[in-house]
Structures are given as structure tokens and as C-alpha cells.
Amino acid sequence: MALTQNQPVPSTTLSSVTPYRVGVLGFGGLGQAAARVLSQKQEMRWVAAADHKGFAANPNGLDLTSCVATYQAEGSLGYLETDGALSQDSIPALIRSATVDGYFLALPNLPNTFMASVAQQFIESGWRGVLVDAIKRTSAVEQLLAMQKDLAAAGITYMTGCGATPGLLTAAAAIAAQSYAEIHNVKITFGVGIANWEAYRATIREDIGHLPGYTVEMARAMTDAEVEALLDRTDGILTLENMEHADDIMLELAGICDRDRVTVGGVVDTRNPKKPLSTNVQVTGRTFEGKISTHTFTLGDETSMAANVCGPAFGYLKAGMELHRRGIYGIFTAAEVMPKFVR
Ligand code: NAD
């Protein structure tokens, strides 16, 4: 049957497109969750991954079970028998050896300049494609925004701040803002529950860097024993207030409100997968009739941090792929582009 312009495209046609070849950099908590998310997708195929000590690639798709088993038993994907290779410089080595349309950067941003240095490596390699990160700090996003011209000249479409917060909740705030003539404040409050901190070492270290009296560098330098001792003192709970979170600069750049009207805080329980509170964003403003009101968008308590980070990251990766195909390069935030849904 021939399709006319106004007919909906049958889903079989939609799903028979060639999948995007996707790489995941970092194979810790988020990287492994990202690979699991991809294993259920038809539009994206997981073909490459790198960790601190090695990488793995297979154009037909990597095998999730053997990748996770090898990483857990030996500490690196580089030990995989057929698809793996050990490397001291795994990211450039992977960029050279795999054909990938887009990468999710599930890497720690430790030090706070690390993600920008990875973006620089992509620019220098001559690779063209789409990058997406779930970076958190305002100062880290600012470093990437300063690379706009170089990314555009390199033919890279870079989607930044595309996890949960910043990411899903920032985008929700941008939509909620539309009811108002003026935005008074945006308040993001997150609850994260994880069974043990070792599953998300970088996330927890970066969160410690937000505690009063700590810096990113101090958190980075802490040994695992020191992190455990800190968590013992707090019963495994980290309470975070007034965090330096890029939701502020993203909403400011999107023209929604000044960054000082955006606040982010939350509670992380490192000993219990149940969320200590419901993650939500509240957007308060004044309507054109002069009424003051608050929209609240609350995530379902059953959704994990991994689901709320990896889902949006791949949604923005798909949006970035569509921009890239149209020749649109440079850097975009989660507050200025709608994520696409990945089937
Ligand atoms: P993790 O510590 O569990 O894993 C990090 C992985 O990166 C490991 O596989 C490690 O080998 C690899 N790695 C480290 N240095 C590397 C290097 N130089 N080259 C290649 N690989 C390297 O990390 P995680 O807890 O999964 O966190 C990843 C990032 O996600 C963190 O920066 C965290 O802040 C961010 N995050 C964002 C959100 C959000 O909502 N935006 C939520 C949670 C986590």
C-alpha cells in the first residue's frame, strides 16, 4: 500500500530503520544501566564501551551479560575475550577503533574539568557525531558551553545536562514555565535510594563535594574507606542543599528566569533502594491575569535514578542525531531541545 502524506506511518516501518550505533563511555553504575536500557531498544544498538582500563567494541552489538560479568570479575571490559582490548588511554583508543554515531558520556566529572577534556579529545580526533552527558555542576557546563565554536567546527552535536537533574526535571520546568508571564522560582528536590554506594562511586563522591566544608577536589581525593567512614557517621544519608547545579544556567540560557531563582537540593540514601522522598520540581510564577501559582511535577517513586538518567540521556541522544543529520552542530542543553522517545 502506498503511503500518502496524511496517513500515519505504520510502526513496522518506523522500527525497520537501521539502528543508531551507540557507545557508552564509563561502565560503572550509570554506564551498566545505560547498556541495559539499550538492550531493550530497536532504534539504538550498543556497539562500544570504555572504562578506565580498557574498551570493548563489536559492530553487531556487545553482549550485555558477558560485558557485566567481565567488568565485575576483572575490573575492565578490556579483558573480554573477543571484543575487548586493554588500554591506558581507552577513550581515544575506542574512538579510533569503533564506528559509532553517538556516545553517552557516563563518566565521572572528577576533576571538574574532566568532561570538557573528553569533549576536547573528540574534537581533536576528527570524529563527527553526537555526544550526550548527564553532567551536574554549573561550572562544568560553562566549560562545555565555551567550546561551542570548536564543537560546531568539528561537526559534533553535543547535548549537555541531559540526565535527571539537570535533564528531565529542567526540561519539565521549561515546559511548566509556559503558563506564566513571569517565573518567581524553580525548586528542584530529589530523592535517591541506592542499595550500596559502591554501585555509583562517582555519583556519591560528586555529591560529597557539595556538602558544606567539602570541595570536588577533597571528595575526589577521599579513599573508599574515608567515604565509608563519612557514610557511617550519617547513617548512609547525604542531605544536600543549595547545590551548584547546572539547571540554573540551563534555565537562564533558555530565557526562563535568572539563575539565582533556581535552587536544587535533595536526599540520597546509600543503604536503601527506596527513595527517601519523592523527586519533584516546583515552578512558581505569576500568570498574565496576576495570579501566583505553583506547578509541581513529581516522578514516580518506583523509578530509579538510573531510569530517570539513562532514559532522558538516550532521548536527547536521539534528538541530537536528528539535529546532526540536518547539519546542526554545536552545543545544546536539555532545556532548549525536546528529547525524542527511543523505541
Ligand atoms: P561510577 O563511578 O559508577 O563509574 C565510572 C566509570 O567511569 C567506571 O567504569 C570507570 O572505569 C570509568 N572511568 C573513570 N575514568 C575514566 C577514564 N579516564 N576513561 C575511561 N573511563 C573512565 O560512576 P557513576 O556513579 O555511574 O556516575 C557517572 C556520572 O553520572 C557522574 O559524573 C555522576 O555525577 C553523573 N550522574 C548524573 C545524574 C544526573 O541526573 N544528571 C545522576 C546520577 C549521576
Side-chain angles (χ1 to χ4, degrees):
M1 181 186 73
L3 289 173
T4 66
Q5 239 183 350
N6 293 329
Q7 271 178 323
V9 183
S11 57
T12 47
T13 310
L14 288 173
S15 59
S16 60
V17 292
T18 317
Y20 292 114
R21 295 160 295 190
V22 175
V24 175
L25 299 188
F27 203 58
L30 277 190
Q32 289 174 43
R36 278 178 65 197
V37 168
L38 287 176
S39 70
Q40 298 174 22
K41 301 289 187 190
Q42 289 84 52
E43 291 181 321
M44 291 187 174
R45 178 184 296 155
W46 179 48
V47 297
D51 57 51
H52 203 34
K53 297 189 210 133
F55 65 89
N58 185 328
N60 299 317
L62 287 167
D63 179 60
L64 177 64
T65 313
S66 54
C67 284
V68 172
T70 302
Y71 185 85
Q72 282 174 359
E74 311 198 47
S76 175
L77 292 164
Y79 291 103
L80 272 171
E81 253 177 50
T82 45
D83 299 333
L86 291 166
S87 168
Q88 302 258 330
D89 223 358
S90 58
I91 296 174
L94 178 63
I95 301 172
R96 281 193 302 273
S97 44
T99 305
V100 171
D101 300 310
Y103 284 96
F104 173 30
L105 311 178
L107 292 163
N109 194 36
L110 296 168
N112 196 38
T113 50
F114 184 64
M115 206 63 91
S117 74
V118 170
Q120 189 60 37
Q121 288 181 322
F122 273 97
I123 291 170
E124 284 164 13
S125 72
W127 178 85
R128 296 167 73 87
V130 186
L131 300 175
V132 63
D133 71 37
I135 205 162
K136 294 208 249 192
R137 281 194 183 252
T138 310
S139 49
V141 167
E142 280 171 332
Q143 294 160 30
L144 289 160
L145 292 170
M147 298 171 77
Q148 152 70 18
K149 275 202 190 124
D150 292 344
L151 288 165
I156 293 172
T157 306
Y158 193 116
M159 316 296 288
T160 191
C162 297
T165 168
L168 180 59
L169 296 172
T170 336
I175 293 177
Q178 306 306 321
S179 300
Y180 305 119
E182 183 189 35
I183 309 307
H184 292 168
N185 57 66
V186 175
K187 186 174 182 222
I188 292 173
T189 310
F190 62 81
V192 168
I194 51 178
N196 62 81
W197 85 276
E198 285 98 339
Y200 290 96
R201 285 168 198 263
T203 302
I204 298 307
R205 276 211 171 72
E206 288 178 39
D207 282 344
I208 290 172
H210 286 276
L211 290 174
Y214 287 84
T215 63
V216 179
E217 275 316 306
M218 284 163 76
R220 182 187 179 207
M222 283 169 80
T223 62
D224 285 0
E226 285 168 337
V227 172
E228 267 151 37
L230 184 153
L231 294 173
D232 276 342
R233 288 198 298 277
T234 64
D235 250 346
I237 306 275
L238 295 176
T239 304
L240 302 151
E241 285 169 0
N242 284 322
M243 300 170 80
E244 183 214 315
H245 245 232
D247 308 79
D248 61 357
I249 189 174
M250 289 161 62
L251 290 170
E252 184 173 274
L253 279 175
I256 288 164
C257 61
D258 289 345
R259 64 179 83 181
D260 57 7
R261 295 188 176 206
V262 182
T263 52
V264 181
V267 179
V268 181
D269 188 342
T270 60
R271 295 182 178 169
N272 187 349
K274 192 173 177 300
K275 283 188 196 186
L277 56 89
S278 301
T279 298
N280 68 87
V281 52
Q282 293 188 303
V283 182
T284 301
R286 177 181 52 76
T287 69
F288 77 102
E289 305 104 323
K291 298 265 197 256
I292 311 288
S293 188
T294 299
H295 284 330
T296 304
F297 173 69
T298 306
L299 303 186
D301 286 340
E302 301 77 11
T303 59
S304 62
M305 175 176 78
N308 291 319
V309 173
C310 298
F314 290 124
Y316 281 105
L317 185 62
K318 181 173 171 183
M321 299 284 193
E322 294 182 6
L323 292 176
H324 196 263
R325 284 195 171 168
R326 287 157 54 195
I328 301 171
Y329 313 133
I331 189 155
F332 300 88
T333 81
E336 63 180 320
V337 173
M338 279 290 267
K340 295 289 168 91
F341 190 77
V342 184
R343 287 182 306 274

